[in-house]
Amino acid sequence: MKKNILLPTDFSENAWSAAIYALKLYQNLDCKFYFLNSCKMKVSTMSSFSNKLLETVSNQAKDELKEIKNKAENYNTNTNHEFEIIISSGDLYDAIDASIEKYNIDLIVMGTKGATGAKELFLGSNTVNIIKKVKKAPVLIVPDRYDFVEPKQLAFPTDFNRFYGDELSPLKVMSERYNSKIRIIHINEQEKLTDVQNSNLSHLKSYFKADTYSLHWKPGYTKKTQAIYDFIKEEDINILVMINYEHSFIENIVNEPVIKNLGYQLTIPFLVIPCTSC
């Protein structure tokens, strides 16, 4: 089945770098990649606004999207990859949300940094806002200038406080595709798990094949973020994976001061999966 991948871009080098990562991640699959640009931000930063100005900016963005599409076609050697462009006059989140519905998007891949003047789209707390708002497709955040490495080691932090259903599918599929190991990490906050946590842990064990995952218990850290970063280094993790739902583990670490500017903190790609059963 063909995968539909959305690539939001502000035409910066790191947005292109994130696109290259996506091409390599899906290099052996039948995919259609959509380059998306929202021109609303450019217009909103200008001192005067008119329909004529919007048309001019939109046409410029369309030309740049065509250029990046041609660049991707020339770079890419997979004949099973197709490329399309999407230009939007709405804000980035609305454009992403509409594209998910219209083009049946399976994954959004975006960079953590943008060009000068576009920081509110790709930096810091605004990256976090995109992660929080997008509920209809997984979002893969790629750090600036990150070179592709096959994702052989996947870290999945969880507090075991929730029963996961279909949300686990992207994690399982990626593990199967790359023969990756899933490193399930739990940061101890109490001496032992509750009955609910033990039940959810049992479900995780039954969902994944025994030889595809391992359990890792970290002592209670003052900051969960630091525990995760330490784990990434210790286990040579290639992709960090979390499931996003209300009052989730990801919400806890996003609200910690050290990760307020999430875009600055990432050292490896970060896959955020929305909760489909919430």
Side-chain angles (χ1 to χ4, degrees):
M1 183 181 295
K2 180 176 290 187
K3 295 290 184 181
N4 296 315
I5 315 298
L6 186 66
L7 304 172
T9 180
D10 62 349
F11 311 116
S12 63
E13 283 299 319
N14 52 284
W16 171 248
S17 179
I20 293 299
Y21 182 90
L23 293 180
K24 291 181 177 179
L25 185 66
Y26 288 93
Q27 60 185 341
N28 297 319
L29 295 181
D30 189 9
C31 299
K32 193 164 191 177
F33 296 91
Y34 295 87
F35 287 101
L36 165 68
N37 178 260
S38 167
C39 59
K40 180 178 180 180
M41 184 280 304
K42 281 186 179 179
V43 173
S44 66
T45 60
M46 299 178 182
S47 57
S48 59
F49 170 79
S50 66
N51 289 334
K52 182 65 176 177
L53 175 60
L54 178 60
E55 182 181 356
T56 300
V57 172
S58 178
N59 288 336
Q60 180 183 353
K62 188 176 295 184
D63 289 340
E64 291 185 272
L65 281 171
K66 288 179 180 178
E67 287 181 15
I68 203 170
K69 176 176 178 286
N70 291 335
K71 187 177 178 180
E73 289 173 338
N74 291 330
Y75 173 88
N76 194 59
T77 58
N78 188 343
T79 56
N80 292 323
H81 284 179
E82 298 178 64
F83 301 91
E84 295 292 341
I85 62 173
I86 306 171
I87 181 73
S88 173
S89 58
D91 64 30
L92 182 60
Y93 166 68
D94 289 338
I96 289 174
D97 201 46
S99 297
I100 292 171
E101 290 285 343
K102 185 174 181 179
Y103 301 104
N104 194 27
I105 296 299
D106 297 294
L107 177 70
I108 303 153
V109 182
M110 56 190 294
T112 56
K113 288 187 178 181
T116 302
K119 292 182 178 179
E120 51 266 67
L121 296 185
F122 290 93
L123 283 181
S125 61
N126 289 282
T127 301
V128 175
N129 288 337
I130 293 296
I131 291 172
K132 287 182 176 180
K133 288 181 178 179
V134 173
K135 301 294 186 183
K136 299 176 183 177
V139 181
L140 180 61
I141 308 297
V142 182
D144 189 25
R145 300 177 185 177
Y146 184 83
D147 292 328
F148 178 79
V149 176
E150 282 197 5
K152 295 294 188 180
Q153 302 287 339
L154 309 176
F156 179 52
T158 177
D159 54 15
F160 301 129
N161 283 325
R162 187 175 184 87
F163 178 89
Y164 298 124
D166 292 340
E167 298 93 341
L168 292 170
S169 179
L171 175 58
K172 187 175 185 179
V173 168
M174 184 172 292
S175 173
E176 292 173 346
R177 182 179 302 146
Y178 282 97
N179 193 26
S180 311
K181 297 298 183 183
I182 302 170
R183 308 302 184 185
I184 301 173
I185 173 176
H186 177 72
I187 302 170
N188 299 344
E189 292 183 299
Q190 290 85 28
E191 291 186 4
K192 61 180 182 178
L193 299 180
T194 66
D195 290 343
V196 170
Q197 287 176 311
N198 275 313
S199 175
N200 292 332
L201 171 57
S202 296
H203 172 69
L204 279 177
K205 290 179 177 180
S206 63
Y207 187 83
F208 299 118
K209 293 180 181 178
D211 61 344
T212 64
Y213 76 89
S214 59
L215 296 172
H216 302 262
W217 304 80
K218 301 290 287 185
Y221 277 63
T222 302
K223 295 187 182 300
K224 295 181 178 66
T225 307
Q226 189 60 54
I228 292 171
Y229 286 151
D230 289 348
F231 187 77
I232 287 171
K233 292 180 180 179
E234 291 166 5
E235 299 294 330
D236 196 22
I237 299 299
N238 305 123
I239 295 182
L240 174 65
V241 183
M242 293 191 198
I243 295 178
N244 189 19
Y245 57 90
E246 189 177 3
H247 307 307
S248 65
F249 188 73
I250 183 175
E251 186 175 291
N252 290 335
I253 71 161
V254 162
N255 289 331
E256 289 183 355
V258 71
I259 205 168
K260 275 290 188 181
N261 294 324
L262 185 59
Y264 292 112
Q265 303 296 325
L266 289 180
T267 56
I268 61 171
F270 180 24
L271 177 62
V272 180
I273 304 172
C275 180
T276 56
S277 59
C278 295

